[in-house]
Structures are given as C-alpha cells and as structure tokens.
Amino acid sequence: MVAALSPLRESGRKWYSLYDKVYAADVLRWAWHQVAANRGAAGVDGQSTQAFGAQADLHLAELRRRLAQQRYAPRPVRRHWIAKLGSREQRPLGIPTVRDRIVQTALRLVLEPIFERDFAVHSYGFRPQRGAKDALRRVDGLLRAGYVYVVDADLQAYFDSIPREPLRARVRAKVSDGRVLALLDAFLSQEIFEGLAHWTPEAGTPQGAVISPLLANLYLDPLDHRMAAQGFEMVRYADDLVLLCRTPEEAQRALTELRGWTAAAGVRVHPQKTRVVDATQPRGFDFLGYHFERGYRWPRTKSLRKVKDALRAKTRRTHGHSLAVIIDDVNRTLGGWFEYFKHSHPTTFGPLDAWIRMRLRSVLRKRRGGRGRGRGSDHQRWPNRFFAEHELFSLTAARAAAVSPR
C-alpha cells in the first residue's frame, strides 16, 4: 500500500477528509502502474495506455492539478460487446478512457480499505488476497461436510440494475467527504457511447469500470451478513452466489430469505435460473466455471466450449506458422487452463488431450496435401509420442504429476 493511504488502516470511524488522498502523487502513480499492467483498449478519446505512458509524468501532473482544483470531469464510456463465457450471447462492457481508469483506480485505493475490513468472510470476488480458488475450496469443503442441498442463485443483470440512491447511502454511511462523493457520482453518471448513440443510464454501476466491483460488493454486503446471521452458509463471488444447506427445508428457507432481501433491495433473482439442487444427484450445479455433482467436480460445459474455441483459433489447418510456434501458443492456453481446472475429475483431461492432438494432426495432414481431420494412418505417422517429443503440454501428465505424492 502506498504511503499516502496508511492512515486508512484505522477502523471504526467515519471519514470526512479523503479527497486529498485521491490526488496524492504516489497514489496516482500507483494507480497508473495498475492501469498500465492491465493494458485494455482505448476509450472514446482514442488514447491507449502506450500513448499515455509515453508522457506519463506530464499526464499525471495534469490529472493531479485538475483533481486538486476540482475541475476533473470524466469522459463518456465507450460500450463494447464481448462474448459470454462459452456462449453465443454477448454482454456489454464499458471502456472508460485511460485517464478515467487511473482516477477510478486511485478512488478505489482510497475507499477499499474503509469498506474492506467489514466485508463478510464468505465474499471472495474482487477482494485483496482472495480469489475464485478460495471460493471453490469453501464450496468443496461444505459439500464434503454434508451441505449438499444448494440454492443455485442467479442475480439477473446485477451490475446494470443496482439502484443508485441506496448505493450512495451505503457509501455515505462511512464517507462524508462531499468531494469524494461528488467524484464517485460523476463516474456513476457517465454517458455511454455506442456507435452514434449515447445515453446516461439511470441505474447500475457499469461493467468494465474499475470502481464497479467494490461498489457491487458494497451493495450486497448487507445480504452477506444477513444470511450469516440466519445461519446459512453462503459463498459469493461478486454476483455469483450459492447457499449450501444440510436439508431441503433449510434450502427452501434460504431461497425465501434471498428472494425477500433482493426484492426489498431492488435487484432481481432470475426466476428460471435460480433453483434448489441436491448435489448428490445428477444435474448438480455450476459455480465459477466448475460443475459440481455427486461428490465430483469438472469444468462446466461452457468452460470446455470456451477453451476449445480458443484452441480452434490457434490450430486452424491453414495456420502459416511452424509446428513449434503453434505448440508454444497452444501450451500457453493449456497451462493456464489446467492451473484453474486441475482439481477436476481425472476423466476430464484425456479426451481434451486427444482432441488437441487431432487438431494438430489435421494441420500436419493439410501440409502433406491431405484433406479433413487427422485420422487413420495419421495416428501412426504422428503418434502421441511425436507430440510429446515436440513438448506439447499434456493435461493427463500434468494431472498425474499434480496428484503424485512426490
């Protein structure tokens, strides 16, 4: 943590003077380093992180002056549509300018320590020293302990539907610096540009905004504590949550409590996608990319579809690079995917390994003048050993090494 934020480690107080910390030189510098590391596309002004970085000292000094004089005004957000995980559907992503991302990051650095100390232990999304794997371990531990009746909940369009005034009230409960509140409100009220259209949303905190995950956690924090007070085991990662119970009756009570709180808070539980599941039976439930069922877990269908889509793009038969270059590119995708899904049921990995080798055999077959997928004699011409010698990442071998007592 940068030096300017060290006083924020104090607890149990309301904050009246924070604005000067937002534009402190070391806070803005640290915020810029985070934005630069994340890269990201340019906003409506067309300025990239590379262009900002070429004159970073000059730009940061100007940002600091404008913030100090309270003359800083956020630019509109450029809307971009991206594919949903393993789906043909798309979801909107807001892309602020680089300058706005820096100021939002500085604002988050100042506000996060104030709210973080009181967040519930079973909230894992977008929090320091916590992540998806921690949430998955908690779910796995509860299932093993007999909490097998699961409320698989879906909050419909959560980020876009958070009511603004109750959200502002949650912030004001601990922050009384009007300049900070005004800056935060300016970001919540940014125009959205999509092509030639532009509008100002009346609710929600835009997905893609640096400050949004903190605000989303803040709005659901009362739900976290209410569920804990009622004795329910909840695991939440941002707007993705499950409630794990010992009996069907307890699960129904938890679902009723969830529906009651969300209705009062102005957010919606998806009526079709929210259900009570017996995790010991077929169908199970999905959470953070995994499917849980009958004591096992493996990548959910959308997760497998997503990695296959990524690998298809890297193994097209018309690929012009050498096999070594293609394999190196494939290995980067496989290594990252395995690191997240290595705790899956062992039968997950063999079929995917075979599918990847088929894709690579098809590339080699094409280069020999053949057509179609690699098959038949291609397995003798390029056996599994051939790909091992070319250092293709083997999911099966990696899984065996991961569970080996050695």
Side-chain angles (χ1 to χ4, degrees), residues 31-94:
W32 155 241
H33 286 320
Q34 292 193 17
V35 170
N38 292 332
R39 298 183 183 181
V44 293
D45 62 355
Q47 186 180 50
S48 65
T49 52
Q50 292 86 350
F52 187 98
Q55 293 184 299
D57 290 339
L58 180 65
H59 293 318
L60 290 173
E62 176 61 19
L63 271 181
R64 188 161 188 252
R65 278 193 298 272
R66 286 183 173 274
L67 285 165
Q69 296 167 5
Q70 297 182 56
R71 295 192 300 111
Y72 184 82
R75 299 290 301 276
V77 172
R78 180 169 69 87
R79 170 161 284 189
H80 176 67
W81 291 85
I82 61 173
K84 284 188 175 181
L85 174 65
S87 170
R88 293 181 180 179
E89 298 180 21
Q90 292 187 317
R91 66 179 179 90
L93 181 68

Side-chain angles (χ1 to χ4, degrees), residues 232-294:
F232 298 122
E233 293 287 354
M234 186 166 86
V235 180
R236 183 173 68 81
Y237 190 95
D239 58 337
D240 199 352
L241 66 93
V242 287
L243 289 145
L244 297 101
C245 306
R246 289 187 178 275
T247 66
E249 295 77 17
E250 184 186 358
Q252 287 296 337
R253 288 197 304 273
L255 178 55
T256 299
E257 188 71 24
L258 174 66
R259 283 175 171 157
W261 187 91
T262 53
V267 293
R268 299 183 297 275
V269 175
H270 198 294
Q272 283 77 46
K273 295 182 180 180
T274 300
R275 61 199 178 105
V276 173
V277 177
D278 181 352
T280 67
Q281 301 299 313
R283 288 187 67 198
F285 67 97
D286 295 338
F287 186 62
L288 298 183
Y290 273 92
H291 180 76
F292 292 83
E293 181 181 321
R294 292 171 289 178

Side-chain angles (χ1 to χ4, degrees), residues 293-366:
E293 181 181 321
R294 292 171 289 178
Y296 300 105
R297 57 175 163 166
W298 56 83
R300 69 174 184 165
T301 302
K302 288 183 178 180
S303 299
L304 280 172
R305 192 181 303 147
K306 182 182 180 184
V307 73
K308 283 190 171 185
D309 286 347
L311 290 167
R312 280 191 186 94
K314 297 173 184 287
T315 56
R316 291 191 177 95
R317 276 170 255 178
T318 55
H319 205 304
H321 289 99
S322 68
L323 182 64
V325 170
I326 295 173
I327 287 177
D328 185 58
D329 195 18
V330 165
N331 284 351
R332 283 194 292 272
T333 297
L334 289 177
W337 189 86
F338 176 78
E339 183 59 31
Y340 189 78
F341 288 106
K342 63 184 175 184
H343 299 292
S344 299
H345 191 277
T347 57
T348 300
F349 305 107
L352 189 52
D353 274 337
W355 182 85
I356 294 162
R357 290 192 296 266
M358 179 276 294
R359 296 283 304 177
L360 293 173
R361 288 187 181 105
S362 300
V363 173
L364 296 171
R365 178 186 179 89
K366 171 75 172 177

Side-chain angles (χ1 to χ4, degrees), residues 124-141:
Y124 294 91
F126 306 105
R127 295 185 60 190
Q129 285 79 52
R130 287 169 170 258
K133 290 185 179 181
D134 301 305
L136 289 166
R137 276 191 287 269
R138 180 62 178 155
V139 168
D140 189 60

Side-chain angles (χ1 to χ4, degrees), residues 96-263:
T97 64
V98 174
R99 286 175 170 82
D100 286 348
R101 296 205 294 268
I102 294 169
V103 177
Q104 283 194 33
T105 302
L107 187 59
R108 178 183 59 79
L109 288 169
V110 171
L111 293 178
E112 188 173 66
I114 294 171
F115 297 106
E116 173 64 29
R117 61 176 297 276
D118 294 323
F119 282 164
V121 295
H122 56 258
S123 166
Y124 294 91
F126 306 105
R127 295 185 60 190
Q129 285 79 52
R130 287 169 170 258
K133 290 185 179 181
D134 301 305
L136 289 166
R137 276 191 287 269
R138 180 62 178 155
V139 168
D140 189 60
L142 288 167
L143 290 171
R144 293 178 186 276
Y147 292 80
V148 295
Y149 294 94
V150 180
V151 179
D152 182 12
D154 183 275
L155 299 183
Q156 192 172 10
Y158 171 64
F159 279 81
D160 293 333
S161 63
I162 300 174
R164 292 271 176 83
E165 191 48 44
L167 176 60
R168 292 185 183 101
R170 304 261 165 90
V171 178
R172 289 196 301 266
K174 290 190 176 181
V175 176
S176 290
D177 189 325
R179 296 165 299 175
V180 168
L181 296 173
L183 182 60
L184 180 60
D185 199 54
F187 283 123
L188 287 174
S189 304
Q190 283 176 280
E191 272 194 296
I192 294 178
F193 277 32
E194 183 179 354
L196 298 178
H198 60 94
W199 67 95
T200 302
E202 297 180 356
T205 175
Q207 295 192 51
V210 177
I211 199 70
S212 288
L214 174 62
L215 296 177
N217 276 333
L218 177 61
Y219 197 72
L220 288 179
D221 186 56
L223 172 65
D224 295 337
H225 291 288
R226 183 176 181 86
M227 287 301 183
Q230 297 287 331
F232 298 122
E233 293 287 354
M234 186 166 86
V235 180
R236 183 173 68 81
Y237 190 95
D239 58 337
D240 199 352
L241 66 93
V242 287
L243 289 145
L244 297 101
C245 306
R246 289 187 178 275
T247 66
E249 295 77 17
E250 184 186 358
Q252 287 296 337
R253 288 197 304 273
L255 178 55
T256 299
E257 188 71 24
L258 174 66
R259 283 175 171 157
W261 187 91
T262 53

